[in-house]
Structures are given as C-alpha cells and as structure tokens.
Amino acid sequence: MKAIKSNNKTFELTGERGDYFLTKDERGKVKMFLKKDVEVIEVECLQKKTYKTKKSTSVNSDPVQTWKKIALSVNDKWNNNSYWKLAENKSGKLNTNGNEFIESLLKSMFENGKLSEKQAYYLAKYGVESGQLN
C-alpha cells in the first residue's frame, strides 16, 4: 500500500488531485499534501491508534456513614421521603440487648422525631457493628 510520511506520521494515500495527494490518517480523517513537499513510500499497513478508556472504579462507601444519613432522615420525615421509611423499618427492628444508650437514641428517633449528627452516627455504628444493619 502506498503511503505518505510527513512529520514522522504516516498517512494512507487515497488519491491525487492536481498538485495534491489525498490521504487518510489512522482515524480516517482526510488530509491533503502538496506533492513536492512529501515523499511517497510503500508500507504493509498503517498502525491503528488505540485509545484506552478509563476503568470505572467502584466506590466503597462506609456503611456507617450510609446508615447515619438514613437515620438523619428522621429530621425531615414530613417530606414523606423514602429514607425515613427505610430508617423506621430497619431501626425499629434493632435489638438493643439492654444497651440503655441505644434505647435512648431509638426513643429520640421515634418519640421525639429528632436526631443529632452524633446520635445518628452512634446508632448507625451500633447497628453496623452488631451486624443488624448491612
């Protein structure tokens, strides 16, 4: 196959038009070169340029932070959000094993309808560490 070499790049020769060579690069883009500025060479094939795509990386989020966010939805339950329903369903089934601190957090969550960031964190941490929230 005939090709043209210009600036250390090789272009496939596809035709001629007057004083110009018509060429294609590795992407298929058409280019024109003056015949007097380039030399024609013989090559077996053009190397196709390969492009690598970014590999997707999975984000392993901290389950404690995820459940903390869900527990904090109690503060915004009047908007009928689905997080509150999930928090109510999962936290209502937590087995406290006589832990008064966790019982007080659940009381604050269900009776008072409010949780601070720290309360939500400790409730989520207890649930994840005990294997009841996953």
Side-chain angles (χ1 to χ4, degrees):
M1 164 175 53
K2 290 188 176 186
I4 292 176
K5 191 155 186 124
S6 175
N7 294 334
N8 293 329
K9 292 185 181 180
T10 308
F11 300 91
E12 177 185 356
L13 183 61
T14 58
E16 295 181 37
R17 180 173 292 164
D19 291 337
Y20 293 94
F21 286 124
L22 297 174
T23 63
K24 283 187 183 177
D25 63 2
E26 66 272 353
R27 293 184 185 178
K29 188 174 179 182
V30 176
K31 297 193 176 218
M32 293 178 69
F33 293 97
L34 271 171
K35 288 181 179 179
K36 65 179 182 175
D37 293 341
V38 294
E39 66 176 276
V40 178
I41 58 173
E42 191 69 34
V43 294
E44 290 183 26
C45 64
L46 288 179
Q47 291 183 351
K48 295 285 182 179
K49 198 170 203 178
T50 57
Y51 297 96
K52 294 182 181 179
T53 59
K54 285 186 176 180
K55 293 181 181 177
S56 62
T57 57
S58 62
V59 177
N60 295 331
S61 62
D62 183 17
V64 173
Q65 294 299 322
T66 303
W67 282 104
K68 174 185 160 190
K69 179 181 174 186
I70 292 170
L72 281 173
S73 68
V74 69
N75 299 331
D76 195 25
K77 70 180 179 185
W78 306 114
N79 288 338
N80 196 19
N81 65 33
S82 60
Y83 276 143
W84 164 244
K85 292 176 184 173
L86 178 64
E88 185 179 38
N89 186 19
K90 290 288 193 173
S91 299
K93 296 178 183 177
L94 276 179
N95 183 6
T96 61
N97 296 327
N99 189 332
E100 293 179 12
F101 178 64
I102 300 301
E103 287 176 5
S104 70
L105 294 179
L106 290 173
K107 180 181 176 186
S108 176
M109 183 176 190
F110 290 111
E111 291 180 12
N112 302 340
K114 292 192 178 205
L115 279 178
S116 70
E117 294 252 346
K118 282 186 179 180
Q119 289 174 324
Y121 172 78
Y122 284 116
L123 187 61
K125 184 177 177 183
Y126 174 80
V128 170
E129 286 178 354
S130 67
Q132 298 177 48
L133 298 176
N134 47 7

